[in-house]
Amino acid sequence: MPAGWLLCAITLLLLALPASAIGWGDWQSRTPGGYRMGNAGSGIELFVEGWETGFGPIDRWYFYKGHVVGRLVSGYFVANERSGEIRGFEEEQYWKEYLAERDLVPKYWTRWHTGNWRWLDDYAFALLLIGALVLIPLLGATARFLNRWIAGEARFRLRRNPALIIFSLLLLLLFRLLLDNFPSSF
């Protein structure tokens, strides 16, 4: 087995570690407006400053213009993160009317969330191992290849040089990092 395939197999194995561990399903992250949101085993809840318990359980939601907008397990809600007001709706029609009146419907992209939107938080342990074992050598190989490519000594050949695959994986990781840090809709 070529070394490249072995390296890919080890990487995929390390990425699967946090997903298979018992008890690692609990998570908590800060919303763009500063509220806390998480799942401590009883469903996803929004934690508002000054409240003793969380608001939920939440089925799915999106962030838009300083609001958290979403569906509860039974109903709908809009949370204004600036004022602290949370409005609940039992019927979808009234919820949609409220959203339209306050311009809370994204025009280009509604990024619905159903779990922790910060993917890298879930995989921090695996990425730490990957960084120590795999990512640093991959970055070195990519830098070496790019240096040779700029000098005109190398060409992108998918069959002979894995630099394109490595570069694509790094771009994918960067894209994922941007999605984690900017979870809002447009």
Side-chain angles (χ1 to χ4, degrees):
M1 177 185 279
W5 288 107
L6 183 61
L7 198 58
C8 286
I10 291 171
T11 302
L12 291 174
L13 178 67
L14 289 174
L15 281 174
L17 286 176
S20 63
I22 296 173
W24 284 27
D26 298 350
W27 60 271
Q28 189 175 81
S29 294
R30 287 255 179 224
T31 66
Y35 283 176
R36 289 179 299 120
M37 188 173 241
N39 185 350
S42 60
I44 298 169
E45 295 181 328
L46 181 66
F47 298 96
V48 180
E49 299 299 325
W51 287 24
E52 300 232 354
T53 60
F55 176 78
I58 299 170
D59 183 39
R60 58 185 247 173
W61 69 95
Y62 65 86
F63 304 110
Y64 189 63
K65 293 186 176 179
H67 292 76
V68 181
V69 179
R71 295 182 180 169
L72 299 166
V73 171
S74 60
Y76 305 87
F77 76 97
V78 177
N80 185 335
E81 293 189 280
R82 294 182 198 120
S83 69
E85 176 189 11
I86 297 180
R87 295 200 44 147
F89 302 88
E90 291 182 10
E91 295 184 32
E92 185 176 13
Q93 172 190 353
Y94 298 124
W95 176 64
K96 286 185 176 182
E97 288 173 3
Y98 183 85
L99 295 177
E101 288 172 6
R102 286 160 179 75
D103 194 30
L104 294 176
V105 179
K107 292 174 182 39
Y108 303 108
W109 181 30
T110 304
R111 187 170 173 208
W112 286 100
H113 301 284
T114 57
N116 191 358
W117 61 93
R118 297 191 53 87
W119 178 83
L120 290 176
D121 288 352
D122 290 344
Y123 291 98
F125 180 70
L127 288 174
L128 185 64
L129 287 175
I130 290 170
L133 301 174
V134 177
L135 197 56
I136 293 171
L138 287 178
L139 286 172
T142 303
R144 183 173 155 249
F145 173 77
L146 289 175
N147 188 26
R148 290 179 55 217
W149 182 59
I150 290 170
E153 299 171 4
R155 293 187 298 175
F156 279 114
R157 288 188 180 168
L158 194 56
R159 290 179 63 192
R160 299 177 98 203
N161 196 329
L164 184 61
I165 296 170
I166 295 167
F167 187 68
S168 299
L169 289 174
L170 291 175
L171 281 178
L172 181 66
L173 188 61
L174 177 65
F175 180 69
R176 188 63 230 192
L177 182 66
L178 288 173
L179 286 178
D180 283 0
N181 288 305
F182 300 102
S184 296
S185 299
F186 299 75

